[in-house]
Amino acid sequence: RGRSTSSSPSLNKAETIKIPLTVKMASKGSLQANRPKGSSSENSVGGPRRYLIGGNWKCNGLYDQNVERIKVFNDAGPIPSNVDVVLCVPYIHIPMALSMLRDDIEVGAQDCGNNTKDGAFTGQVGAHQLKDIGCTWVIIGHSERREGFGMAGEPEALCAEKCKVALDKGLKVMFAIGEKKEEREAGTTMQVCAKQLEPLAKVLDAKDWDQVAIAYEPVWAIGTGLTATPEMAQETHADIRNWIKEHVSPDVASAIRIQYGGSMKGANAKDLLQQPDIDGGLIGGASLQADFFNVINGVPK
């Protein structure tokens, strides 16, 4: 055959091509080094427990869209001094949130695995990995995961196991419970909540409860625009606190924060947060908008 006339140089096995690296990866230590400073407002009242407002972005937002959301929150003004705020973003956007989000909003995940270490757990993200990168909170037991979406839902025992693993790895947990519409109508709301709490009470040590918040989310109100009246929500929150008093301890019941998570938004947050046993919210749709700060500022002043 004829010899090639190509002008491209040929390479033998001993030759290599050196390609300069132009992308600089942030180290774990520098990931949060330049987070914008937040600001606090002292125009707030004290109470038996600090308020906890959690945002759950669920599976929402492309990269540039969520960057813009973070910019909105960074410019949203001070956070009342009696409020802790957490934003739980999709896994792939956790590093972005940790590097760009104002430093008075903590960053969390929406779930974690029940594995305690690295290993052959395809698709899982371990609590130890979340803690290592800089997350401080994780949501466990959200109704969408308990119910499943095109997959088997997570049973009560698995939710409790995940919570214990997350706590042991140094994360704080928003543990979600709640009833469906037919269960509310049948008058079995507290039986359902108790069934979800019982496995948790069995696996947690007394010290673990300091790092747990209970997020009561009536399933029939999540993303539907329906909301329990403040009186309905207060009644269930009080029942949950009483259950914890009887089955865990009075001290834990008095100290634990119970969030409301059924379509809380700026328009109804103030009335809900005035109730004595509602200690915050786990916010879905409103946490994708500037209205998230209307919820934050809805705490009693």
Side-chain angles (χ1 to χ4, degrees):
R1 295 179 181 177
R3 181 177 296 178
S4 170
T5 59
S6 170
S7 60
S8 300
S10 61
L11 297 174
N12 61 40
K13 293 181 180 179
E15 293 176 313
T16 60
I17 298 175
K18 294 183 178 180
I19 302 175
L21 286 176
T22 58
V23 178
K24 184 178 180 181
M25 299 298 291
S27 67
K28 182 182 71 174
S30 66
L31 191 61
Q32 302 189 59
N34 296 311
R35 290 181 68 176
K37 293 294 182 184
S39 60
S40 175
S41 167
E42 297 299 328
N43 185 25
S44 57
V45 298
R49 296 166 293 272
R50 289 180 59 80
Y51 290 94
L52 175 61
I53 305 296
N56 178 13
W57 278 6
K58 306 189 180 186
C59 184
N60 281 299
L62 302 180
Y63 185 89
D64 287 346
Q65 292 171 324
N66 285 345
V67 166
E68 289 304 312
R69 289 186 171 111
I70 285 176
K71 289 178 181 177
V72 170
F73 295 165
N74 288 347
D75 294 336
I79 291 172
S81 60
N82 60 345
V83 182
D84 296 323
V85 182
V86 187
L87 197 61
C88 296
V89 304
Y91 286 135
I92 58 171
H93 294 155
I94 286 172
M96 175 248 286
L98 285 168
S99 63
M100 296 182 184
L101 184 64
R102 54 191 289 172
D103 65 359
D104 55 351
I105 299 180
E106 297 180 78
V107 177
Q110 300 166 19
D111 186 44
C112 70
N114 61 336
N115 51 302
T116 60
K117 58 184 179 181
D118 293 351
F121 308 106
T122 301
Q124 290 282 53
V125 176
H128 62 294
Q129 295 171 309
L130 296 173
K131 177 66 175 179
D132 177 69
I133 201 172
C135 288
T136 53
W137 285 87
V138 62
I139 301 168
I140 298 294
H142 193 281
S143 64
E144 291 159 6
R145 299 202 63 84
R146 290 182 185 268
E147 184 69 16
F149 32 87
M151 63 181 187
E154 297 181 355
E156 287 88 356
L158 177 59
C159 294
E161 181 185 3
K162 284 184 173 187
C163 183
K164 178 60 174 171
V165 169
L167 293 167
D168 286 348
K169 296 304 179 182
L171 293 172
K172 293 172 280 190
V173 175
M174 288 177 273
F175 190 80
I177 62 173
E179 84 284 4
K180 299 177 184 177
K181 188 172 186 289
E182 59 269 26
E183 293 164 336
R184 162 67 67 169
E185 292 173 343
T188 60
T189 292
M190 198 53 221
Q191 290 95 312
V192 173
C193 291
K195 184 182 178 184
Q196 295 166 344
L197 287 169
E198 284 166 359
L200 190 67
K202 290 178 180 178
V203 301
L204 296 194
D205 300 327
K207 62 179 176 58
D208 290 331
W209 288 97
D210 292 341
Q211 306 302 316
V212 175
I214 301 298
Y216 167 62
E217 296 193 302
V219 179
W220 49 271
I222 298 173
T224 64
L226 300 173
T227 307
T229 66
E231 294 75 21
M232 289 169 59
Q234 164 58 25
E235 180 182 15
T236 305
H237 279 234
D239 288 344
I240 292 168
R241 197 176 302 280
N242 189 57
W243 188 95
I244 294 171
K245 180 180 179 180
E246 294 180 358
H247 294 85
V248 182
S249 79
D251 288 343
V252 170
S254 177
I256 197 164
R257 293 183 285 188
I258 306 176
Q259 304 159 276
Y260 177 75
S263 293
M264 185 185 281
K265 48 188 177 290
N268 59 28
K270 184 176 180 180
D271 290 339
L272 287 162
L273 293 169
Q274 285 179 338
Q275 304 303 312
D277 288 296
I278 298 181
D279 306 309
L282 182 55
I283 317 303
S287 73
L288 295 163
Q289 307 165 21
D291 192 43
F292 188 47
F293 264 72
N294 293 327
V295 176
I296 293 168
N297 287 303
V299 301
K301 296 181 174 61

